[in-house]
Amino acid sequence: MGLVYPDEKNPEKQYVKIDTQDPEELDFAEAKRIAKAKALEICRNPMMLSWKNGKTGEFYPVHECGGTDREPWVVYAEARGADLSIDINDGDYTFLLLRM
């Protein structure tokens, strides 16, 4: 399940792309479960740092970080060492994690 490959800009990071069979039926809770299961295949103790629900525009954490034009949930996770990105259904859901 899912294609795993290094991030082109930083080979120490991993990027996972997952496409589900029924993208319209997938909700956030199930996407989070899928992301966590995949992260556990990659490392023993992944820590989820941030996420974005591309269907609704919601993201976590919701506070501003850095004052740049980059999305705050990305800035937050990168500042804390995020090195695993899981993209489900081409941005419907994105999770940034730290491999531990």
Side-chain angles (χ1 to χ4, degrees), residues 5-75:
Y5 47 93
D7 183 295
E8 292 178 9
K9 296 177 184 173
N10 187 343
E12 294 176 2
K13 296 182 179 184
Q14 285 186 311
Y15 177 79
V16 179
K17 181 174 176 18
I18 298 172
D19 292 313
T20 63
Q21 291 181 350
D22 295 316
E24 296 302 317
E25 299 296 319
L26 185 67
D27 65 5
F28 177 78
E30 181 63 10
K32 186 175 179 182
R33 187 199 65 74
I34 291 169
K36 186 172 183 176
K38 186 60 179 179
L40 285 167
E41 289 178 17
I42 294 169
C43 66
R44 194 167 136 175
N45 191 19
M47 178 187 298
M48 189 171 296
L49 298 172
S50 67
W51 54 263
K52 181 174 183 181
N53 179 336
K55 289 182 174 182
T56 65
E58 293 175 283
F59 58 87
Y60 175 85
V62 295
H63 55 80
E64 291 297 319
C65 290
T68 68
D69 60 349
R70 295 177 61 224
E71 294 189 76
W73 65 278
V74 174
V75 173

